[in-house]
Amino acid sequence: MGKNRDMSEVVLRAEHLTKRYPIKKGLFGKAANYVHALEDVSFELHRGETFAIVGESGCGKSTTGKCVLRLTEPTEGKVLLGEEDFTSLSGEALTKARQKMKLIFQDPYSSLNPRMTVADIIAEPIDIAGTYKTRAERDARVEEVMEAVGLDLAFKYRYPHEFSGGQRQRIGIARAIVLEPEIVVCDEPVSALDVSVQAKVINLLEQLQDRLGLSYIFISHDLSVVKHISDTVMVMYLGHEMELADKEALFAKPLHPYTQALLDVIPRIRHERIQDKRILEGDVPSPTNPPSGCVFHTRCPKCMKVCSERAPELREVEPGHLCACHLFDDALSEAERQLVGVSVAAK
Ligand code: SF4
């Protein structure tokens, strides 16, 4: 994966993205509280790279994707596309910039209009953009993209319900790439598919990346898929960035207690720790009332006295390996380091 990766060229930069949804009292009332969906998330996406965002349900990974695409407006922070501030664009400039970024949905069926033929579904983005002047050019582009994603041209005038889940996802991918975007946000693109079909769709995404030089933001809860496809991984918990590293470093030597627990429940990935695996106990706390200090402290086996008092900074623990955990804060006092509780059971 990532054969065309150019780590020197940043195609997208997310800076301090924060999203808080107000919870209002009454129809016109003031915000009584907020859902803290995303808090101060920053990362870079390089040309040809697959940047994976992982975490449990509700960790903020899909909200990150939506903020990046401006399907929801971030409360704070910005997204730069190259040097351009995407978050400040409007009108025609926004429409143009949006063509550089496309989304592949989790559920291909619900994202495809059941009343449109495959050809029209795939062509819709170029029809809206007015990319081609003649019908023949437009149809030729549709056929080119159908071939690229492995769809038989005989299916051109069929409807979504006539296809399997894997084929529907190919239609979704064709629609996403028809305008030749630079960046594709893949939001759980294979989690609704059978395992046997997942590998084929992942292989297709890899082939298209190599051929078209695409950069992917790959959102997934499935670490075995992420291990296969990603170059870089960001682990999120309760809207916060917990760890960010090159895939090899993250899977070989996870630093954050949350990442360690996530990897421990996948024996295929961490054979060596199967005798000593740690299972995350308890539910993810409510994002309307997140824990004080480190948001993971209510479930962390290494929770220290300082952890509920102060949020840890995201610091570079090893070159290119960032982690938000007080365990790597050399300035802590003995009292602050005192172990206070174990919420994760050893099994
Ligand atoms: Fe655990 Fe404390 Fe590190 Fe948070 S800061 S992950 S509670 S040790």
Side-chain angles (χ1 to χ4, degrees):
M1 191 69 184
K3 268 186 264 167
N4 299 323
R5 203 162 39 135
D6 179 359
M7 295 304 276
S8 63
E9 189 184 350
V10 176
V11 288
L12 180 145
R13 184 176 280 122
E15 292 184 353
H16 310 292
L17 285 181
T18 296
K19 181 69 188 180
R20 299 185 195 114
Y21 294 97
I23 303 170
K24 291 186 176 168
K25 257 192 184 163
L27 200 53
F28 303 105
K30 278 187 173 175
N33 200 353
Y34 291 88
V35 175
H36 298 255
L38 210 58
E39 289 291 336
D40 197 14
V41 168
S42 301
F43 61 90
E44 288 178 347
L45 175 69
H46 302 89
R47 185 167 301 282
E49 179 184 27
T50 298
F51 183 89
I53 306 178
V54 300
E56 293 166 288
S57 154
C59 71
K61 51 191 193 303
S62 287
T63 307
T64 306
K66 283 185 192 148
C67 283
V68 162
L69 291 158
R70 281 186 67 188
L71 295 177
T72 183
E73 295 292 341
T75 312
E76 288 167 28
K78 60 184 174 183
V79 175
L80 299 170
L81 277 182
E83 297 304 315
E84 192 169 48
D85 182 356
F86 180 60
T87 13
S88 71
L89 297 179
S90 58
E92 210 173 299
L94 176 61
T95 308
K96 215 164 157 222
R98 276 211 161 114
Q99 293 179 7
K100 293 184 187 172
M101 277 197 286
K102 290 294 162 198
L103 173 66
I104 296 172
F105 295 89
Q106 172 177 2
D107 180 356
Y109 197 51
S110 66
S111 66
L112 303 177
N113 186 331
R115 289 187 203 89
M116 286 170 78
T117 64
V118 167
D120 285 342
I121 289 170
I122 296 172
E124 195 177 33
I126 48 178
D127 291 344
I128 292 169
T131 316
Y132 295 103
K133 294 208 169 35
T134 69
R135 182 84 188 183
E137 282 176 325
R138 177 246 201 208
D139 289 351
R141 177 64 184 152
V142 169
E143 290 190 1
E144 188 180 25
V145 174
M146 284 183 74
E147 278 175 346
V149 302
L151 281 171
D152 194 323
L153 297 186
F155 297 161
K156 241 176 120 177
Y157 301 111
R158 294 203 185 164
Y159 292 86
H161 72 268
E162 298 178 70
F163 294 89
S164 67
Q167 284 172 322
R168 281 183 206 136
Q169 195 52 295
R170 284 176 196 265
I171 299 168
I173 294 169
R175 185 185 155 89
I177 63 168
V178 71
L179 267 174
E180 300 183 65
E182 291 181 18
I183 298 163
V184 180
V185 177
C186 311
D187 190 358
E188 301 272 12
V190 295
S191 54
L193 304 176
D194 291 344
V195 175
S196 59
V197 183
Q198 286 187 354
K200 289 184 185 153
V201 173
I202 293 289
N203 287 343
L204 172 64
L205 289 172
E206 289 183 320
Q207 284 165 15
L208 291 172
Q209 181 173 50
D210 288 342
R211 212 165 119 193
L212 307 174
L214 296 169
S215 309
Y216 291 144
I217 294 177
F218 193 92
I219 297 166
S220 179
H221 70 282
D222 187 338
L223 281 160
S224 48
V225 171
V226 164
K227 185 168 194 237
H228 179 79
I229 198 169
S230 65
D231 296 303
T232 310
V233 185
M234 176 167 81
V235 180
M236 293 186 70
Y237 183 80
L238 214 58
H240 291 250
E241 200 170 340
M242 298 274 116
E243 186 161 4
L244 191 157
D246 190 71
K247 172 183 73 179
E248 277 75 29
L250 188 113
F251 281 90
K253 194 181 170 192
L255 299 177
H256 199 284
Y258 177 59
T259 313
Q260 290 169 358
L262 277 185
L263 296 189
D264 279 353
V265 296
I266 304 176
R268 278 172 298 165
I269 290 177
R270 292 182 56 81
H271 302 279
E272 74 276 16
R273 297 175 66 173
I274 197 162
Q275 297 302 321
D276 184 29
K277 67 180 180 181
R278 290 157 289 192
I279 305 294
L280 272 177
E281 284 189 348
D283 296 326
V284 179
S286 165
T288 54
N289 188 20
S292 59
C294 171
V295 286
F296 187 54
H297 87 257
T298 54
R299 301 171 83 195
C300 181
K302 297 178 179 170
C303 179
M304 302 176 286
K305 187 166 181 299
V306 65
C307 299
S308 59
E309 295 165 358
R310 212 166 66 223
E313 282 171 35
L314 187 71
R315 47 169 68 80
E316 190 168 25
V317 177
E318 288 171 11
H321 196 149
L322 310 182
C323 182
C325 176
H326 285 305
L327 290 170
F328 303 97
D329 182 355
D330 295 334
L332 291 185
S333 67
E334 275 307 306
E336 287 174 317
R337 282 191 182 280
Q338 193 190 337
L339 193 67
V340 293
V342 176
S343 305
V344 178
K347 249 200 169 179

